[in-house]
């Protein structure tokens, strides 16, 4: 589950700059998704795994 969330967060993080470069419509919404992906990556980095 943790790996799936990490892959999703990385995809969200990368989609924002890609939308800006490719000039997709509503690129601001993609940048918001990118920020959410970055927040998710940061949270996962600081929250310890339960063993």
């Amino acid at each position: 589950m943790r790996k799936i969330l990490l892959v999703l967060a990385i995809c969200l993080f990368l989609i924002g700059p890609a939308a800006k470069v490719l000039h997709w419509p509503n690129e601001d919404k993609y940048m918001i998704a990118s920020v959410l992906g970055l927040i998710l990556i940061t949270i996962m980095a600081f929250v310890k795994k339960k063993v």
Side-chain angles (χ1 to χ4, degrees):
M1 183 70 175
R2 187 172 172 91
K3 288 182 182 181
I4 294 171
L5 283 175
L6 186 61
V7 170
L8 175 67
I10 291 171
C11 289
L12 284 175
F13 179 65
L14 293 177
I15 198 77
K20 281 283 190 189
V21 169
L22 298 174
H23 303 289
W24 289 353
N26 301 322
E27 57 193 29
D28 293 332
K29 292 181 182 178
Y30 291 109
M31 290 303 288
I32 292 170
S34 180
V35 170
L36 292 175
L38 180 63
I39 290 170
L40 186 58
I41 291 171
T42 306
I43 288 171
M44 290 180 67
F46 286 107
V47 172
K48 295 182 180 179
K49 270 198 223 181
K50 293 181 182 176
V51 178

